[in-house]
Amino acid sequence: MDESNSGGVRDARRRRQRINRMKTTIVATIAIWMLVSMIVCVALTVKVVGLNHKINRILDYYEEQLKSSSVTMDDTDVSGKNEGNSEEVFAPGEPEEYDTDTKTQYTDAEGNRYVTGEQQKVYLTFDDGPSDNTDEILDVLAEYQVKATFFVVGKTDEHSKAMYRRIVEEGHTLALHSYSHKYSSIYQSLDAYKKDLTKLSDLLYDVTGVRPKYVRFPGGSSNRVSNVDMREFIKYVTDEGYKYFDWNVVSGDATNQAYTSEDLVDNVMSGIANYQTSIVLMHDATNKTSTVEALRTVIEQLQGMGVELLPIDDNTKEIHHMELNSEKN
Ligand code: ZN
């Protein structure tokens, strides 16, 4: 009996030990699974975040491409345009987006073809400033006694205010582009656009005492970024008494491509060769230093050809990518 008793106790102890081992194994397995799951979760989260960033970058780039595709006049193909890389980081108050355009040639409406021997008119226009480059551009213009047009964005720092004043004081045309230059907000609704444009007009009036009369839509009047039919905006600005100006020659300084200043000069010169009146799109945003370099050469060549270089005024032929009565594109 004793033996069988002690045998029973041993069995029971072994069973307990076995059960304990099984418990330990199960707990350890669960713990390992939990740990592995957590690691996998963390790894997947990191991956998802990474992919999200990637998707956002691709979407930004795509949006840029779409924006730039909208600027042709009689040619509606969607060629990629991109003004600057979408990775650009803007300080508060900087334009979030730039108009982009890889096309350097426009086929203009009849009536504006260059006729040999006729006096050509060229309007140099600078978008997206003021910036650090604006001083230099104004210096070059002053040196050659050329007046130009600046479609500005809204900035309230002292330097920018000084630039708005200098543009006016030196006889250039100060014109409205957009206060925020954020396509996503201004083209959300007519109301949003009105507020943005009014804010810019008020700022420029406060700083310079001048109410600008001319408007350039970010991306041009035929941009395809706007959620609202662009003709609503065109109707609004014209009802308000503004004239809007697009362009028929681009320097190419808005593109992604690493154009040298020589390329920019070539683009402008080959563009204006087609027209009686050329409105040349350039930019005086911070990152457009090649524009400053190209400007001197462009002016010298144009003056050498006897071309008239003028600031936009009420007599300027209006170049429009879209009219109020255009077919919806
Ligand atoms: Zn712009």
Side-chain angles (χ1 to χ4, degrees), residues 7-8 10 36 47 60 89 116 121 127 144 164 189 198 211 214 216 221 233 256 259 268 308:
R10 249 196 327 272
V36 168
K47 186 85 185 161
D60 284 349
V89 177
T116 315
K121 290 179 178 170
D127 285 14
Y144 290 90
Y164 296 140
S189 66
T198 305
R211 281 267 175 213
Y214 312 116
R216 174 171 284 156
S221 63
F233 300 118
N256 242 342
Y259 275 135
V268 173
E308 263 189 291

Side-chain angles (χ1 to χ4, degrees), residues 177-225:
H177 196 29
S178 160
Y179 191 99
S180 72
H181 205 276
K182 290 180 183 162
Y183 291 65
S184 49
S185 4
I186 59 173
Y187 290 141
Q188 202 61 46
S189 66
L190 182 58
D191 196 46
Y193 179 80
K194 281 182 193 174
K195 279 186 181 142
D196 178 88
L197 198 70
T198 305
K199 191 176 175 187
L200 179 60
S201 177
D202 288 348
L203 169 69
L204 298 181
Y205 181 70
D206 285 348
V207 175
T208 67
V210 169
R211 281 267 175 213
K213 301 192 287 181
Y214 312 116
V215 168
R216 174 171 284 156
F217 297 105
S221 63
S222 66
N223 79 80
R224 294 179 194 167
V225 181

Side-chain angles (χ1 to χ4, degrees), residues 8-155:
V9 169
R10 249 196 327 272
D11 282 351
R13 196 186 295 134
R14 274 201 213 101
R15 216 166 29 245
R16 267 202 310 279
Q17 282 171 348
R18 209 162 48 236
I19 288 168
N20 279 341
R21 269 203 303 278
M22 280 168 65
K23 271 188 195 161
T24 309
T25 309
I26 290 168
V27 169
T29 308
I30 290 171
I32 288 168
W33 266 112
M34 282 170 69
L35 193 65
V36 168
S37 304
M38 268 160 62
I39 291 169
V40 169
C41 274
V42 170
L44 285 175
T45 305
V46 169
K47 186 85 185 161
V48 165
V49 169
L51 284 172
N52 257 335
H53 283 188
K54 209 174 210 171
I55 288 169
N56 284 338
R57 277 202 305 275
I58 292 168
L59 285 178
D60 284 349
Y61 178 75
Y62 184 63
E63 196 177 321
E64 284 289 311
Q65 295 291 318
L66 271 182
K67 264 182 256 157
S68 52
S69 68
S70 57
V71 292
T72 60
M73 295 185 66
D74 56 351
D75 153 4
T76 52
D77 76 319
V78 179
S79 56
K81 95 174 172 207
N82 193 337
E83 172 171 337
N85 305 317
S86 38
E87 295 80 21
E88 282 173 309
V89 177
F90 296 98
E94 288 283 297
E96 179 189 68
E97 291 150 295
Y98 288 116
D99 328 290
T100 64
D101 189 352
T102 52
K103 271 189 100 67
T104 55
Q105 296 285 338
Y106 296 89
T107 330
D108 205 351
E110 285 307 312
N112 191 25
R113 302 234 163 262
Y114 173 59
V115 181
T116 315
E118 292 284 310
Q119 175 70 58
Q120 279 180 292
K121 290 179 178 170
V122 172
Y123 297 85
L124 301 177
T125 68
F126 298 91
D127 285 14
D128 299 351
S131 78
D132 297 344
N133 283 339
T134 310
D135 290 283
E136 277 188 84
I137 286 172
L138 287 167
D139 288 347
V140 174
L141 294 171
E143 188 184 331
Y144 290 90
Q145 299 184 317
V146 168
K147 307 298 180 208
T149 304
F150 292 81
F151 290 95
V152 299
V153 299
K155 292 184 179 179

